[in-house]
Structure formats: C-alpha cells, structure tokens
Amino acid sequence: MIQAFGLTSNPRKELPPAVDDVSFEARAGRVTALLGASGAGKTTALRLMLELQRGRGLTYFRGRPLHRIAHPAREVGVLLGDVPGHPARTVRGHLRMLCAAAGVPVRRADEVLESAGLESLRDERLGALSRGMDRRLGLACALVPDPHTLVCDDPAGALSAQDARWLHGALRAHAAQGGTVLFSTADPKEAARNADHVVTLEKGRIVADQEAVEFSRTRLRPRVAVRTPHAARLAALVTKEARTARRSVEVVPEGGNRLAVYGSTCADIGETAFRNGILVHQLADEVGDMGPGAGAVPAARNQERGEADGDRAQVAGAQAAGAPAPPRPASSGAPQHPQADLRQAPATEGGADTTASGTVRHRTPGPRRALAPDGVAHSAAEGPGAAEGPGSGDAPDVLNASDASRQRASRPFGARLSGSASAVRAAVVTLPPPISVRSAPSPLRPLRYELRRALGVGTGFVVGAVVLLVSAVTAVILARIGHTPQARLLAAWPQQVPLPPAALGAGLLGALAFGDEFRHPALAADRGTVPRRMGLLTAKLVVSAATALLLAALTVGCDTEVLRLFYGSELAQAPADWPALSAGWLGLVVGCAWSGVLAAGVFRSTSAGLAAVVAVPVVVVPLVQKVWQGPSVRTAAGFPMRVREILLTQWPFGGERYVAEALRLVAQPVGGAMTLSLTTLLCAYLLTTLRSRVR
C-alpha cells in the first residue's frame, strides 16, 4: 500500500505551494484515483511521492520510503509521460535493455510484449509509435521488474476509447492480483468508472477522500435514465409530484422517448409511472453523462449492491470446475488490513515467496493467467471464457474472502447481468506472469545493460564510420602536403589541430554514454535521474575504453592501408619507437573517452562531456606546460634507478624500461593534462554521488 503524509511542495517566490499538506492512502488490491482539474497539483503530488521534486512530507511504499528501497523499480512501476527511451531504439531492444538493468531473464521482454499486445511492433522504433502504443509500451516497461505498485500520471490522456479501456483494464487486473494502483486524472467520470477510491484535489489541498460509490453520489450528478413512449406525460407528472413534495427534481428530455431525471430515484419514478398507468421500457441509475462504457460500474458500487447474480455465476463456475464454492465476500465497508498484501514479493531461494507480513508462501507453477478488466482470472489453456476456480489446475496466490469479493465486484455490470462470455472474452487483458526467481546481484549486470544500450542504436557505428573517413582523408592530405612526422601521419593528426579525429570520436562516444541517459533516461523512470552507482560507472568506463581501443586500432590500420594505396609502402612504415608511440596513442584515445564519460556524468549533458574533452588540449595543456616548465619544478628522471637502489632488487623482465616510458608519457604536457583532468572529473563524480545519497 501507499501512505502519503503531509506532502508539501516548495513555494516559488510569493506564490502558495502547488501542493499543501496532502495526506492519503492507496490500499493494496484496489485502484485509487487522484482527481483534480488542471493545476490542482496532481502531478506535483506524484513527483513528491516519487522523490522527483523537492519538498516536505513522507511517502511509504509498503512501509518504506523510496530512497530506502534497494531496487525501487521492483517495488514501484512508474508511468509518467512518454516512454523514456531513445527514439531510434526498437521496442524489443528497449525492453531487453531494461531486463538487463533489472536483473531479470531476457525472456521477460517477450512475455511483457505479448501481454501488452505489441508482438507485431517488436521491431518498430520508439519514435514511430502512436500515442496508444506508446502508453502500452510505457506500462510494459513498468511491469518488466514485476513491481507491486503502479503509479501513473494521467495514463489515459489523449487516448482513444479502446486504448483507454485496455489500459484501465490492465490496471484493474494488476489490482485484482493484489497490487496497488494509483493514477491521476482530471476527468471525474473516468475516476468514477475505473477507481475503487477517489481522492479529490483542489488548489493543492484534499477536499474529498471517498469510496467510488460515495464519490459518485456526492461529487457527481447521479441521475435516473428513463425510456418510455409517454415521455412528456411522465415528465410532467414527476415535476408536479416533486413540486408538491417540495423536492428539488430536474427532468431533462433527451430527445425521442428518453428522459434524464436528476434528484430522484428509480423507486419514486417507477411508483409514479405505475400509479398513472405509464409503460416504462427502461429505468436505470446512471452517474452523469458517463459516455462510452457507462455499463461498467466501479467495484465499490458493485460491492455495495451485492448482486446475487454475480455470486451465483462465480459459484456455478467453481462447481463446473469441480471446486468448492468460494467463500462469501466480506462487507464492502470493512477496512482492508494494510498487511493483506497478495502481490508477490521478491522470491527467496527454494521457490518460496515472502510477503510483506513476513509469511512464506510456496507457489506451484501453472498455466498463464489472463485477467479481464473485470478482475476475473481465466486460465490461458481453457480460454478466457472459462471460469477459474481453486481446483482448476492453476495455483495462484491464496485469495481471501475480500479478494474474491473484489474480483466479483469489479466485473462490468452489464456483462454480469447478461452472462455473455463473448463480451468478457473481447476485453481480456493478459498480464505477464510473476517473476518467481530473480538473478543474484552480479557485476556483469550493469555491463550487460551498457552493451545493450550502446549496441541498440546506430549512433556509435555512424560516429566510427565518420571518424575512419575523416582520418583517411586527413592522412592523404597531410602526405600530399609533406613535412608531417610519421607518427602524426599515421594518426591523421595535424599539428594545428588540438586532437586527432579518433580522439574526438572516442570522446563523443564517451559523452554519449552518459548524455543519452539524461536525454532519454531509460533508467530514470523510478527515480527521476540516472542512478549514480559505481557499478554503472565502471561498466561505462570499460565499454568506452574497449570502444576507444578498437577505434584507435582501426584508425591507424585504415590510414596505413590508404597511404600504401596512394603513395606506396614508403609512407606506411611504422616508426622506430612504435611501442612507446602506440602506448601514448592508445592512452590518449582512452583518456578522451573517459573524460567524455565522467564529464557527461557530472554535468548531465553530452555537449558538456565533449567540451571537457576539447578543453584538455586547449586549456589544460598550456596551464600544465607552464607549471611543468617552471624553475621550481624538479624532474622525475632516474626514478626507476633510485627505486632499485632503495629496494635493493632488480626489476623483473627489464621493468625499469617500461616504468621509465610510462613516466615519460605522464610527464608530457598532454599526458599530464589528461591525468589531471581525469582525476578532477572522477573526484567530482564521486562527490556528486555522495551528495545525492545524503539527500
């Protein structure tokens, strides 16, 4: 369940806070709507709950604040706005990348795709999805780690009626399995149709916290729909009796033989028609102008009514499956215990599930469960039309009496009365199966994620191709001009340019490693920003270094072959001191890549990362050169020999030569500037990481 206490946003200047002292609860197994007009503070309240915005107050998700949860995505699934992902990434590639980040099997992506009805769009780019498909993908992304709680900000906004029904059906199915669902909306009719509990906000304050049936009765205009061939006569009689009894009744003709009566009841109108001998074809309670799907009555209202037809249908279905009849539902007004949490928690070893209350339940694998928007579970093998009882071959989580009542009560009213299996079958929503076993923490998990992120889009391949082309053209031009050292010729590095194309390309790829995270935050749906974890940083540094080494080797090889093709083998020969030059070349390219990664992680921008790479030879190198050549600076020459004299040992395999070469590389202005820049950026990243954790 969700418990929000005293949520208050920080005021801007002299304006009042957008959210002021908002406190409410969203219980497990129910759908809660946060209702309010535009500017009422719904989105601000959700962002405060998810710690995406600074303010005061506390929010507990099953008794823990979000920053105290080790893996927030496994506890809270979030759908805020569009899908946070690179528009050039495919639907399946995006989900597989999230699977690697969450540590769940990669087959989970296909299961979620099937549940969301996106199998035919698995190779579609994110930027080409329609609004409805984007919302489906957003819900699929939230369901990848199998969270207990779903928090959605206006999920059905700007959707077609069909897509909105599917989405609310999926939310209802999640709640029917014991999960907690909270969504915001500005449409009171949408809240009345799809929620069990409605919290109403006005000007940042709670003005009502009601069950859906109470909300429909007090904050919407309930009416009685009447259809009779004598509409005008019945309208006059109802108006006359209301005037005589001094009651406020409004009769609105809706054309033809239909009337809408506000302020009266079906019983009063039926008695009036009976006393005056008026034939009535329809007499039904309605809540305002419900529009499409008016027959779908909220679960709380159905619980209050307690139709016997729904009970008989469930009993008959259970008996047909050879199972005993389900228990009688508890009273609709009985409060649900906070620990009545049926959604599966992370599994322990041995196949047992641990609930929030500490009890351990063993699950028996069974067929996939398909849940319709009415919350009724059906076996996928039997088809959605078959009722599923306790002995139908599937062993789901144990449901108590209140859950059975909630499943019955959340069925569409018209479908229950008609008993039409085809209507229910057409609205089936299949949720992905629960994750019974999660992979243990592994250092390879962020590495898998980073590889899928880097290889999922073609940006890296395009940058590499451009770098090779520019390097080859530059090498040919430099050879044509002449007077260029052999080492710079093979690296395509003119003396007038601060960095060669390979180093710039490696820095750009490194900057994109973190820059894309902040532009298209695939990992930020649960926390609002890219998590600053050392495992993620290490994975990005490893992948960027491997990419930089590959790019440096391909650049030199491509330039060598091009020079041999144009000018013969004379200009394609390796320099005499190629080992030291190769080490310096590889160190330069890897250092640029790491500078891009760290700078983009600190400044949260690709442009800032690339600017930090260029600033090393342009700004830092002259400063280091000026300091290094000062009169008070002592040289480090002879350091290996002095170390050997102190330790009275010999360097194995001629190690003093390698140490001397490494020191010579670091002593160079570019090497010293690169080392200084990397050290500074790494310290800044660590400081920002500690600062975010303290917050």
Side-chain angles (χ1 to χ4, degrees), residues 70-303:
H71 301 284
R74 296 182 181 178
E75 178 66 30
V76 184
V78 180
L79 178 57
L80 302 178
D82 298 332
V83 175
H86 199 290
R89 201 179 303 277
T90 63
V91 172
R92 189 166 184 260
H94 184 74
L95 289 175
R96 289 168 70 92
M97 181 183 65
L98 294 182
C99 289
V104 299
V106 73
R107 65 176 181 275
R108 178 73 175 175
D110 296 327
E111 295 174 354
V112 173
L113 276 176
E114 180 184 354
S115 302
L118 297 173
E119 303 96 327
S120 59
L121 301 177
R122 64 178 59 198
D123 296 326
E124 194 75 19
R125 305 291 177 180
L126 297 187
L129 295 178
S130 64
R131 177 70 174 177
M133 295 300 103
D134 183 86
R135 282 297 184 177
R136 291 195 181 209
L137 179 60
L139 187 59
C141 294
L143 291 175
V144 163
D146 192 22
H148 173 270
T149 302
L150 287 180
V151 177
C152 307
D153 185 17
D154 194 15
L159 293 185
S160 64
Q162 180 180 0
D163 290 332
R165 283 195 298 271
W166 181 92
L167 193 141
H168 281 295
L171 297 181
R172 170 64 62 187
H174 184 82
Q177 288 187 344
T180 304
V181 176
L182 174 65
F183 74 93
S184 66
T185 180
D187 187 1
K189 301 165 188 175
E190 179 185 358
R193 281 198 303 266
N194 301 293
D196 300 319
H197 193 87
V198 181
V199 179
T200 307
L201 289 178
E202 286 185 9
K203 297 181 180 180
R205 289 181 173 271
I206 291 182
V207 295
D209 190 344
Q210 305 165 298
E211 296 293 323
V213 60
E214 184 69 17
F215 168 79
S216 301
R217 184 167 57 246
T218 59
R219 302 197 65 83
L220 288 181
R221 282 190 80 188
R223 69 180 186 181
V224 179
V226 184
R227 186 164 58 90
T228 172
H230 310 285
R233 181 185 171 196
L234 182 59
L237 290 172
V238 171
T239 304
K240 180 180 178 181
E241 291 184 359
R243 189 181 300 112
T244 303
R246 295 183 179 181
R247 291 188 292 110
S248 177
V249 176
E250 179 183 5
V251 182
V252 179
E254 293 187 344
N257 56 358
R258 295 180 60 86
L259 297 174
V261 183
Y262 297 91
S264 185
T265 62
C266 289
D268 293 339
I269 297 175
E271 291 176 3
T272 301
F274 179 78
R275 286 195 304 267
N276 294 274
I278 297 177
L279 177 64
V280 176
H281 291 164
Q282 180 187 7
L283 189 63
D285 284 324
E286 290 184 357
V287 180
D289 183 13
M290 297 293 287
V297 184
R301 172 177 292 187
N302 283 341
Q303 278 187 332

Side-chain angles (χ1 to χ4, degrees), residues 430-527:
T430 304
L431 289 183
I435 300 175
S436 57
V437 178
R438 296 184 185 274
S439 59
S442 170
L444 296 179
R445 181 188 302 172
L447 186 60
R448 294 193 196 101
Y449 163 77
E450 181 61 21
L451 287 174
R452 292 189 182 278
R453 185 207 62 79
L455 299 178
V457 294
T459 305
F461 302 100
V462 173
V463 171
V466 171
V467 166
L468 294 180
L469 179 61
V470 173
S471 298
V473 173
T474 304
V476 171
I477 294 176
L478 291 177
R480 178 72 175 178
I481 296 175
H483 308 290
T484 301
Q486 184 68 15
R488 284 183 169 267
L489 185 61
L490 294 179
W493 189 359
Q495 296 181 355
Q496 297 80 9
V497 179
L499 287 175
L504 286 174
L508 176 59
L509 292 178
L512 287 173
F514 255 129
D516 276 349
E517 295 283 11
F518 291 101
R519 289 174 55 214
H520 312 290
L523 295 179
D526 55 342
R527 298 306 301 270

